[in-house]
Structure formats: structure tokens, C-alpha cells
Amino acid sequence: MSITQAQADTAIAAAVREARAIGVPMNIAVYDDGANMKAFVRMDGAFLGSADIAQNKARTAALFGFNTEALYEFVKPGGTSPGFDQTNGGLIVFAGGIPVRNGEDRLIGAVGVSGGAVAQDYQVAQAAVAALAADA
């Protein structure tokens, strides 16, 4: 089962609340388990260029089932898979993309956030995923 529209809406709403709380307009993407966009919002004032980054963070997390920053280990200098981030149309390997799992720990989708500093992106994405866990 993939992430539902209601879950995507919950994730977006939680991310928007967190972004407003820290005062940073964000681009927020929710993808399903097939790495297809389920929902997206570009908050007023969010960087236009960050829209693509948020979407690619969500897609990366959905494709591999890991937080995006975990994938940096593969591509960093001396890593085992140089160029890995250039596959699949371009992957994002820094924080802000988090997979979403159901109660059986099955991947159902992912959230990707961009528009602030990397730590802020992660914070907002984490708030989205936490809202889904609390809603379960």
C-alpha cells in the first residue's frame, strides 16, 4: 500500500507549520512508494530553485528507502560508489529527504524539503514524518 492522499496532506500541513515556526518558506514534496509525486507545495517566498531539490530529495528517499544524507557515504571522496548521485536522473545526497514507512515498517513514500539551510530542511521534513507517525 502506498501513502494515501490524506497522509500526504497531513505531511504537507505539518511541514508548513514547522517551516512557519522557524520562519523559513519551504518547498515540500511528498512522493509515493513508486517514486511518483503525490503532493507538493511551494510556500510563498520559497526559492524557486529549491522546488526541484525538494522533489529530488523525496524521489531519492522513495527510490532507496534511506534518508538522503545516508547516501552521501557512497559518493563522498573515497566512497564505494562515485557517480552514484548521477544515476536515476540525479539523486540528492544531503539531508532533507526522509522515507515514510507504515506500521509494518514497509516503505509507503517519502517527504522532501528544500528552501533553508540543510539542517532546517531536515527539521521540517522530520516534522512531516513525525506527524504521520503520530497520526497512525
Side-chain angles (χ1 to χ4, degrees):
M1 179 175 176
S2 190
I3 194 166
T4 66
Q5 187 62 52
Q7 289 172 311
D9 293 343
T10 296
I12 293 278
V16 167
R17 277 193 305 276
E18 187 68 18
R20 286 185 178 142
I22 64 173
V24 180
M26 299 279 190
N27 292 282
I28 304 150
V30 178
Y31 274 47
D32 66 17
D33 60 345
N36 300 296
M37 186 185 299
K38 186 73 173 187
F40 177 80
V41 67
R42 180 173 170 253
M43 295 174 64
D44 292 342
F47 293 118
L48 181 57
S50 291
D52 186 59
I53 297 169
Q55 292 169 31
N56 281 331
K57 285 180 181 183
R59 190 174 55 77
T60 299
L63 284 170
F64 293 96
F66 292 103
N67 285 15
T68 50
E69 72 275 10
L71 300 174
Y72 177 71
E73 291 301 312
F74 297 102
V75 300
K76 71 181 182 182
T80 61
S81 304
F84 170 73
D85 56 326
Q86 300 304 309
T87 67
N88 293 284
L91 303 173
I92 301 292
V93 295
F94 51 90
I98 302 176
V100 175
R101 298 185 181 280
N102 66 11
E104 291 93 41
D105 201 36
R106 183 177 172 273
L107 182 70
I108 61 169
V111 173
V113 176
S114 184
V118 172
Q120 292 169 321
D121 293 354
Y122 179 76
Q123 178 181 344
V124 171
Q126 196 171 36
V129 174
L132 291 174
D135 200 38

